Amino acid sequence: MMKQTNLGKKNDLKEAAVGFALGAVGGCILGATEDPVDKILLVMTSSGPLKPVMEEVRVVGALGLGTLMGATALTTAMTSIIAGVILAAVVASVFVATKGYNTSRTQFAALWASAGFAGAFGTMLSGATLGIAIEWIVKNYGMVGLLWALSIFTLLKPPLRFVFQLLWRQGEMCCSLGSEGRSMEKQHIEISEWQQRQRVAVQIEERILTLESGGSTSELKDRTTWATEQRERDELERRKLENEEAAMEQQTIQDWINTVVIKHVDFLAFSGIPMTIVAIITSGFGLFGYGGHQSVFIVLLALVALIAYFLLNHSDIKFWMFVGCMGMFASYVIAMLTLHAGQVVVTSAMRMRAAGHNQSRETISTHMNYQSSLEAVNTAFFGAKLFQLGLGAAVGGALVRHSAGEVKVIAGGASVAGGLLFGVDVLAPALGDGGTAGALLGVVGAAGVSVGATAAAAGRCSSWPGALGTIGGLIIGALGMGKWHAVNIGLQVPVAYVFAMTNPY
């Protein structure tokens, strides 16, 4: 009994040590994104890039600016991560269909490595493209142009969903043509079995005829012949079994890929609708001069509550409904913080006036617009980073639960995110501020895959020391590499954990 107890303690300590190492890998890549993201945010909130946003506060109002910035940033985050997931699914589907799939470690690693790199690169590229587009729209057409672009994009996504589903089915049919190698192997095995049966039948017939004619057969030769035939039968049976297992495994992974694509295309099509509706209505109030009126609070709160009740009370609640409501609430919070920032300026001016330090109305208005714009950009960008991290964590958690290999997902996601982080740093001058910001959000999404896999691995641990060691490694790695940004890390880790434990499929 004492030996068993000591053995159990050793196993728990070993699991805790391994979990801590894996957690530290996921935490370090999360912390590594903190400094580049903070730097690009400082650039975006400097006087030059912030000027177009400040000029538009008077047009759409503080509430309109907050909801519009929040909806745009969250839509960018959701679109880029889903674009990466879909690209990864396409690469994995083509790999499985054209090159086949078996349970060998090399084939397994090649499949997930190619899909993981494609997904991370697609997320970064999509984020950079959307960031450049948003920066160009704001500079040339202001917030009204951004509102129109967001509205048109939201309206186009549901029809594009059907187009993509049609293209996906056509792609599956084309890829199925590449699976002829496995069917040819099956036919070859069947032909070999038939030939062997014919050969054995002939040998038996010859032996019977020899015995009937009074001849004799060599016992040694017969044994050798039957042993050879037995080896051939065993080899054919082994090949047949391997082919059937590979075909079953290929069909299983292809079905899972199809499920992932369908769910994420639905998510892309519908999740942005709630927060876009809120942004359109609040911006509309701002355009008519009621951006800061008290009635807008009531309308906004009632609208958010009504949409959330309708979606969350649905009998068949889906992942896009849940995340869409979260995005809508996040946009509402960003709007409140944006308005609050301007009101703080007014309160401060009133206190200064009471103390005998008068400020002109123009100075107060300019300061209000500046603080509102600064708060809108800061909170919208941070909200987009949280959503990007969370959606990436949902992917990483699902991969671990699908038995993709927690070590491969954690280390692979961290490696790819680290490589992309270096690539963004090199390409930053060519991407510009908006492109760099979008690309870095994509890198955060790739890091989220590793963090989510770490959280899922902690949930799969067989002992409390293993789970605590994994979570401890994640937190310590994130804080250490993230230069002890305790508030940011403290908000990001729980969000990543919640998304990682959520099953979107």
mmCIF file of all heavy atoms in Angstrom, residues 430-464:
data_model
loop_
_atom_site.group_PDB
_atom_site.id
_atom_site.type_symbol
_atom_site.label_atom_id
_atom_site.label_comp_id
_atom_site.label_asym_id
_atom_site.label_seq_id
_atom_site.Cartn_x
_atom_site.Cartn_y
_atom_site.Cartn_z
ATOM 1 N N ALA A 430 5.762 48.295 -44.259
ATOM 2 C CA ALA A 430 4.953 48.124 -45.470
ATOM 3 C C ALA A 430 3.468 48.027 -45.158
ATOM 4 O O ALA A 430 2.624 48.446 -45.955
ATOM 5 C CB ALA A 430 5.408 46.872 -46.227
ATOM 6 N N LEU A 431 3.114 47.494 -43.995
ATOM 7 C CA LEU A 431 1.710 47.299 -43.648
ATOM 8 C C LEU A 431 1.033 48.585 -43.199
ATOM 9 O O LEU A 431 -0.179 48.736 -43.369
ATOM 10 C CB LEU A 431 1.590 46.250 -42.534
ATOM 11 C CG LEU A 431 1.976 44.818 -42.887
ATOM 12 C CD1 LEU A 431 1.946 43.930 -41.642
ATOM 13 C CD2 LEU A 431 1.047 44.250 -43.949
ATOM 14 N N GLY A 432 1.788 49.518 -42.609
ATOM 15 C CA GLY A 432 1.171 50.713 -42.064
ATOM 16 C C GLY A 432 0.580 50.437 -40.688
ATOM 17 O O GLY A 432 0.592 49.306 -40.204
ATOM 18 N N ASP A 433 0.018 51.489 -40.098
ATOM 19 C CA ASP A 433 -0.519 51.345 -38.739
ATOM 20 C C ASP A 433 -1.710 50.399 -38.697
ATOM 21 O O ASP A 433 -1.777 49.493 -37.859
ATOM 22 C CB ASP A 433 -0.916 52.710 -38.188
ATOM 23 C CG ASP A 433 0.278 53.643 -38.037
ATOM 24 O OD1 ASP A 433 1.407 53.125 -37.973
ATOM 25 O OD2 ASP A 433 0.072 54.870 -38.003
ATOM 26 N N GLY A 434 -2.672 50.615 -39.596
ATOM 27 C CA GLY A 434 -3.862 49.774 -39.596
ATOM 28 C C GLY A 434 -3.554 48.330 -39.930
ATOM 29 O O GLY A 434 -4.065 47.412 -39.275
ATOM 30 N N GLY A 435 -2.718 48.119 -40.933
ATOM 31 C CA GLY A 435 -2.357 46.755 -41.311
ATOM 32 C C GLY A 435 -1.584 46.041 -40.217
ATOM 33 O O GLY A 435 -1.820 44.858 -39.951
ATOM 34 N N THR A 436 -0.675 46.761 -39.562
ATOM 35 C CA THR A 436 0.088 46.158 -38.472
ATOM 36 C C THR A 436 -0.812 45.804 -37.299
ATOM 37 O O THR A 436 -0.674 44.734 -36.693
ATOM 38 C CB THR A 436 1.193 47.116 -38.000
ATOM 39 O OG1 THR A 436 2.040 47.447 -39.116
ATOM 40 C CG2 THR A 436 2.038 46.487 -36.921
ATOM 41 N N ALA A 437 -1.764 46.694 -36.982
ATOM 42 C CA ALA A 437 -2.689 46.416 -35.881
ATOM 43 C C ALA A 437 -3.525 45.178 -36.183
ATOM 44 O O ALA A 437 -3.694 44.297 -35.326
ATOM 45 C CB ALA A 437 -3.591 47.623 -35.649
ATOM 46 N N GLY A 438 -4.056 45.092 -37.405
ATOM 47 C CA GLY A 438 -4.849 43.922 -37.782
ATOM 48 C C GLY A 438 -4.033 42.648 -37.797
ATOM 49 O O GLY A 438 -4.503 41.594 -37.352
ATOM 50 N N ALA A 439 -2.798 42.737 -38.284
ATOM 51 C CA ALA A 439 -1.938 41.560 -38.322
ATOM 52 C C ALA A 439 -1.586 41.091 -36.911
ATOM 53 O O ALA A 439 -1.554 39.881 -36.630
ATOM 54 C CB ALA A 439 -0.660 41.870 -39.104
ATOM 55 N N LEU A 440 -1.339 42.035 -36.006
ATOM 56 C CA LEU A 440 -1.021 41.655 -34.624
ATOM 57 C C LEU A 440 -2.222 41.013 -33.934
ATOM 58 O O LEU A 440 -2.063 40.096 -33.132
ATOM 59 C CB LEU A 440 -0.567 42.885 -33.835
ATOM 60 C CG LEU A 440 0.879 43.339 -34.105
ATOM 61 C CD1 LEU A 440 1.171 44.640 -33.379
ATOM 62 C CD2 LEU A 440 1.870 42.269 -33.692
ATOM 63 N N LEU A 441 -3.424 41.468 -34.263
ATOM 64 C CA LEU A 441 -4.609 40.798 -33.731
ATOM 65 C C LEU A 441 -4.663 39.357 -34.234
ATOM 66 O O LEU A 441 -5.064 38.443 -33.498
ATOM 67 C CB LEU A 441 -5.879 41.547 -34.141
ATOM 68 C CG LEU A 441 -6.168 42.860 -33.412
ATOM 69 C CD1 LEU A 441 -7.431 43.496 -33.959
ATOM 70 C CD2 LEU A 441 -6.293 42.643 -31.912
ATOM 71 N N GLY A 442 -4.274 39.153 -35.493
ATOM 72 C CA GLY A 442 -4.204 37.791 -36.018
ATOM 73 C C GLY A 442 -3.195 36.941 -35.268
ATOM 74 O O GLY A 442 -3.440 35.756 -35.005
ATOM 75 N N VAL A 443 -2.058 37.536 -34.920
ATOM 76 C CA VAL A 443 -1.050 36.806 -34.147
ATOM 77 C C VAL A 443 -1.587 36.454 -32.764
ATOM 78 O O VAL A 443 -1.336 35.362 -32.241
ATOM 79 C CB VAL A 443 0.242 37.640 -34.036
ATOM 80 C CG1 VAL A 443 1.251 36.946 -33.146
ATOM 81 C CG2 VAL A 443 0.853 37.868 -35.410
ATOM 82 N N VAL A 444 -2.355 37.375 -32.171
ATOM 83 C CA VAL A 444 -2.980 37.082 -30.870
ATOM 84 C C VAL A 444 -3.930 35.887 -31.003
ATOM 85 O O VAL A 444 -4.002 35.031 -30.118
ATOM 86 C CB VAL A 444 -3.728 38.323 -30.346
ATOM 87 C CG1 VAL A 444 -4.554 37.974 -29.111
ATOM 88 C CG2 VAL A 444 -2.750 39.432 -30.001
ATOM 89 N N GLY A 445 -4.661 35.823 -32.117
ATOM 90 C CA GLY A 445 -5.530 34.677 -32.353
ATOM 91 C C GLY A 445 -4.753 33.381 -32.453
ATOM 92 O O GLY A 445 -5.168 32.347 -31.911
ATOM 93 N N ALA A 446 -3.608 33.422 -33.149
ATOM 94 C CA ALA A 446 -2.762 32.226 -33.241
ATOM 95 C C ALA A 446 -2.215 31.838 -31.871
ATOM 96 O O ALA A 446 -2.156 30.649 -31.523
ATOM 97 C CB ALA A 446 -1.611 32.484 -34.220
ATOM 98 N N ALA A 447 -1.822 32.844 -31.070
ATOM 99 C CA ALA A 447 -1.370 32.558 -29.705
ATOM 100 C C ALA A 447 -2.510 31.992 -28.865
ATOM 101 O O ALA A 447 -2.301 31.149 -27.990
ATOM 102 C CB ALA A 447 -0.814 33.824 -29.057
ATOM 103 N N GLY A 448 -3.734 32.440 -29.154
ATOM 104 C CA GLY A 448 -4.893 31.929 -28.433
ATOM 105 C C GLY A 448 -5.110 30.443 -28.634
ATOM 106 O O GLY A 448 -5.623 29.761 -27.738
ATOM 107 N N VAL A 449 -4.733 29.929 -29.806
ATOM 108 C CA VAL A 449 -4.836 28.488 -30.042
ATOM 109 C C VAL A 449 -3.975 27.724 -29.032
ATOM 110 O O VAL A 449 -4.410 26.730 -28.440
ATOM 111 C CB VAL A 449 -4.411 28.145 -31.489
ATOM 112 C CG1 VAL A 449 -4.395 26.640 -31.703
ATOM 113 C CG2 VAL A 449 -5.357 28.799 -32.487
ATOM 114 N N SER A 450 -2.756 28.206 -28.832
ATOM 115 C CA SER A 450 -1.860 27.572 -27.871
ATOM 116 C C SER A 450 -2.382 27.720 -26.447
ATOM 117 O O SER A 450 -2.354 26.768 -25.654
ATOM 118 C CB SER A 450 -0.460 28.190 -27.985
ATOM 119 O OG SER A 450 0.443 27.577 -27.098
ATOM 120 N N VAL A 451 -2.910 28.905 -26.116
ATOM 121 C CA VAL A 451 -3.441 29.132 -24.770
ATOM 122 C C VAL A 451 -4.677 28.265 -24.528
ATOM 123 O O VAL A 451 -4.844 27.671 -23.456
ATOM 124 C CB VAL A 451 -3.775 30.625 -24.574
ATOM 125 C CG1 VAL A 451 -4.416 30.863 -23.214
ATOM 126 C CG2 VAL A 451 -2.517 31.471 -24.706
ATOM 127 N N GLY A 452 -5.560 28.198 -25.531
ATOM 128 C CA GLY A 452 -6.745 27.365 -25.388
ATOM 129 C C GLY A 452 -6.415 25.898 -25.247
ATOM 130 O O GLY A 452 -7.048 25.177 -24.456
ATOM 131 N N ALA A 453 -5.419 25.447 -25.998
ATOM 132 C CA ALA A 453 -4.982 24.055 -25.863
ATOM 133 C C ALA A 453 -4.418 23.795 -24.471
ATOM 134 O O ALA A 453 -4.631 22.721 -23.886
ATOM 135 C CB ALA A 453 -3.937 23.734 -26.928
ATOM 136 N N THR A 454 -3.719 24.789 -23.914
ATOM 137 C CA THR A 454 -3.195 24.661 -22.550
ATOM 138 C C THR A 454 -4.326 24.545 -21.535
ATOM 139 O O THR A 454 -4.287 23.706 -20.623
ATOM 140 C CB THR A 454 -2.314 25.874 -22.209
ATOM 141 O OG1 THR A 454 -1.266 25.996 -23.172
ATOM 142 C CG2 THR A 454 -1.701 25.729 -20.833
ATOM 143 N N ALA A 455 -5.353 25.392 -21.700
ATOM 144 C CA ALA A 455 -6.497 25.338 -20.791
ATOM 145 C C ALA A 455 -7.224 24.006 -20.902
ATOM 146 O O ALA A 455 -7.623 23.410 -19.885
ATOM 147 C CB ALA A 455 -7.451 26.490 -21.091
ATOM 148 N N ALA A 456 -7.404 23.523 -22.133
ATOM 149 C CA ALA A 456 -8.067 22.230 -22.321
ATOM 150 C C ALA A 456 -7.227 21.098 -21.738
ATOM 151 O O ALA A 456 -7.764 20.138 -21.173
ATOM 152 C CB ALA A 456 -8.323 21.989 -23.805
ATOM 153 N N ALA A 457 -5.905 21.202 -21.875
ATOM 154 C CA ALA A 457 -5.025 20.185 -21.298
ATOM 155 C C ALA A 457 -5.134 20.167 -19.780
ATOM 156 O O ALA A 457 -5.098 19.102 -19.151
ATOM 157 C CB ALA A 457 -3.582 20.446 -21.719
ATOM 158 N N ALA A 458 -5.276 21.349 -19.192
ATOM 159 C CA ALA A 458 -5.459 21.408 -17.738
ATOM 160 C C ALA A 458 -6.757 20.723 -17.326
ATOM 161 O O ALA A 458 -6.814 20.030 -16.304
ATOM 162 C CB ALA A 458 -5.456 22.864 -17.265
ATOM 163 N N GLY A 459 -7.796 20.899 -18.132
ATOM 164 C CA GLY A 459 -9.060 20.251 -17.825
ATOM 165 C C GLY A 459 -9.028 18.748 -17.991
ATOM 166 O O GLY A 459 -9.840 18.033 -17.388
ATOM 167 N N ARG A 460 -8.100 18.236 -18.798
ATOM 168 C CA ARG A 460 -7.999 16.797 -19.039
ATOM 169 C C ARG A 460 -7.034 16.104 -18.085
ATOM 170 O O ARG A 460 -6.869 14.882 -18.168
ATOM 171 C CB ARG A 460 -7.534 16.557 -20.479
ATOM 172 C CG ARG A 460 -8.594 16.898 -21.515
ATOM 173 C CD ARG A 460 -7.974 17.043 -22.896
ATOM 174 N NE ARG A 460 -7.352 15.805 -23.343
ATOM 175 C CZ ARG A 460 -7.971 14.889 -24.084
ATOM 176 N NH1 ARG A 460 -9.225 15.069 -24.445
ATOM 177 N NH2 ARG A 460 -7.340 13.808 -24.475
ATOM 178 N N CYS A 461 -6.375 16.880 -17.224
ATOM 179 C CA CYS A 461 -5.420 16.265 -16.296
ATOM 180 C C CYS A 461 -6.151 15.305 -15.349
ATOM 181 O O CYS A 461 -7.286 15.549 -14.942
ATOM 182 C CB CYS A 461 -4.684 17.339 -15.486
ATOM 183 S SG CYS A 461 -3.456 18.256 -16.440
ATOM 184 N N SER A 462 -5.476 14.229 -14.983
ATOM 185 C CA SER A 462 -6.085 13.215 -14.131
ATOM 186 C C SER A 462 -5.962 13.534 -12.650
ATOM 187 O O SER A 462 -6.520 12.820 -11.819
ATOM 188 C CB SER A 462 -5.431 11.852 -14.409
ATOM 189 O OG SER A 462 -4.035 11.898 -14.159
ATOM 190 N N SER A 463 -5.223 14.598 -12.302
ATOM 191 C CA SER A 463 -5.037 14.942 -10.889
ATOM 192 C C SER A 463 -5.044 16.452 -10.727
ATOM 193 O O SER A 463 -4.769 17.199 -11.674
ATOM 194 C CB SER A 463 -3.706 14.371 -10.373
ATOM 195 O OG SER A 463 -2.607 14.976 -11.047
ATOM 196 N N TRP A 464 -5.339 16.887 -9.503
ATOM 197 C CA TRP A 464 -5.334 18.310 -9.210
ATOM 198 C C TRP A 464 -3.938 18.933 -9.328
ATOM 199 O O TRP A 464 -3.812 20.047 -9.846
ATOM 200 C CB TRP A 464 -5.896 18.542 -7.806
ATOM 201 C CG TRP A 464 -7.394 18.589 -7.789
ATOM 202 C CD1 TRP A 464 -8.237 17.645 -7.314
ATOM 203 C CD2 TRP A 464 -8.215 19.632 -8.293
ATOM 204 N NE1 TRP A 464 -9.540 18.024 -7.482
ATOM 205 C CE2 TRP A 464 -9.566 19.246 -8.078
ATOM 206 C CE3 TRP A 464 -7.961 20.862 -8.901
ATOM 207 C CZ2 TRP A 464 -10.643 20.044 -8.462
ATOM 208 C CZ3 TRP A 464 -9.039 21.658 -9.277
ATOM 209 C CH2 TRP A 464 -10.345 21.250 -9.053
#
